[in-house]
Amino acid sequence: MADTSDTLHRAPSGHLGPSYKPTEEQPSATISTQVKLANVTILPQTPQLIALLTMIRDERTNRADFIFYSNRINRLLVEEALNHLPVLASTITTPVGRTYAGVAFEGKICGVSIMRAGEAMEQALRECCRSVRIGKILIQRDEETSLPRLFYDKLPEDIGERWVLLLDPMLATGGSALMAVDVLRSRGVPEEHICFLNLIASPEGAANFAKKFPKVRIVTAFVDQGLNEKNYIVPGLGDFGDRFYTL
Ligand code: URA
């Protein structure tokens, strides 16, 4: 799916930086396209997030830095995704004998990474949720049909009773992730119990998801301009798996 629409080529721009600088002295940066889809949450376009994304988008960034900075964004994504899971009222007593009306997490969770790039997001999930169970799904494009094909999955037996954080850093056409949701639903996971985390999404991928699975929540750091003729996200960051594992 190539980006043929002119609107996809135009990126929004915003001034970034603390307010002690007047607006005209703050640098202008490209910020995420906003999409009118109820299921999509885009992280706040803070100077920190834009600086982290600038690092991992840069073709000169070496692998060690790519891993370090993408992990920092992954942490932000996981923390935001956890906000979409249910909580229960929990009133506790503090060491000074006062009560505090708070909340506690409700329900069990599970990560599911779409191999291989999704595995790069597992560390951030483990850092936020100690001993979290993590399932795996391997989907690859069939050489003959060009359609995504399921090669392997290994998921917890009780995944149908869990809230699932689905991990894949780049939402391009959405073909693999849509198939991964089909697999999860076939194991009894309700659509509304799935939250899909990615660093960069294309408008086309987000729209495809909203159309087929409107109840699946998407948490992304950035919606980019579109896809090129090879279905790479543009401006994007190239092949995430190659940059994280092999380059
Ligand atoms: N997967 C990637 O790694 N990069 C893209 O741009 C699209 C899919």
Side-chain angles (χ1 to χ4, degrees):
M1 198 188 301
D3 56 334
T4 48
S5 157
D6 181 50
T7 55
L8 295 181
H9 291 281
R10 272 188 260 124
S13 177
H15 288 98
L16 293 182
S19 56
Y20 63 75
K21 272 190 182 179
T23 308
E24 59 276 12
E25 285 177 26
Q26 289 169 7
S28 173
T30 306
I31 57 172
S32 176
T33 299
Q34 295 299 316
V35 290
K36 291 196 188 87
L37 299 169
N39 63 324
V40 177
T41 300
I42 303 170
L43 293 184
Q45 301 293 290
T46 61
Q48 272 296 309
L49 177 64
I50 298 299
L52 298 173
L53 283 162
T54 306
M55 285 297 295
I56 63 168
R57 287 181 189 275
D58 190 338
E59 63 177 358
R60 298 166 304 177
T61 297
N62 64 33
R63 200 169 70 88
D65 283 339
F66 187 87
I67 292 170
F68 179 80
Y69 291 105
S70 55
N71 275 340
R72 282 191 56 194
I73 303 173
N74 287 334
R75 280 286 294 260
L76 298 174
L77 289 168
V78 172
E79 295 287 3
E80 175 55 29
L82 294 175
N83 286 331
H84 293 258
L85 307 186
V87 286
L88 287 170
S90 171
T91 298
I92 52 89
T93 307
T94 72
V96 291
R98 297 294 180 94
T99 57
Y100 172 73
V103 293
F105 295 122
E106 184 197 7
K108 297 184 289 186
I109 69 162
C110 170
V112 172
S113 54
I114 301 179
M115 295 160 75
R116 123 191 105 143
E119 292 171 301
M121 302 174 82
E122 293 177 4
Q123 183 185 330
L125 179 58
R126 288 188 204 285
E127 284 168 1
C128 298
C129 309
R130 261 180 307 161
S131 71
V132 62
R133 283 170 176 72
I134 298 184
K136 310 260 180 184
I137 296 183
L138 175 61
I139 293 166
Q140 281 181 336
R141 191 184 295 210
D142 189 294
E143 300 268 311
E144 283 172 20
T145 64
S146 286
L147 294 171
R149 184 173 147 210
L150 176 66
F151 279 85
Y152 169 84
D153 68 89
K154 194 79 183 168
L155 303 168
E157 286 288 317
D158 62 350
I159 194 162
E161 294 151 31
R162 293 177 180 271
W163 293 80
V164 175
L165 302 185
L166 182 63
L167 310 175
D168 198 0
M170 305 295 279
L171 168 54
T173 61
S176 302
L178 289 169
M179 180 172 271
V181 172
D182 277 331
V183 174
L184 294 173
R185 290 181 69 232
S186 74
R187 304 297 160 82
V189 184
E191 202 180 308
E192 55 270 36
H193 285 199
I194 301 170
C195 186
F196 177 32
L197 283 63
N198 50 77
L199 283 99
I200 302 181
S202 73
E204 298 92 324
N208 289 343
F209 239 92
K211 195 167 162 201
K212 185 162 179 203
F213 296 122
K215 293 185 195 151
V216 171
R217 293 176 176 81
I218 295 178
V219 174
T220 188
F222 206 100
V223 178
D224 251 359
Q225 291 164 39
L227 299 171
N228 69 10
E229 62 292 346
K230 291 184 176 161
N231 282 338
Y232 273 82
I233 298 175
V234 289
L237 50 72
D239 188 300
F240 186 96
D242 284 353
R243 295 195 65 188
F244 196 94
Y245 290 114
T246 57
L247 280 183

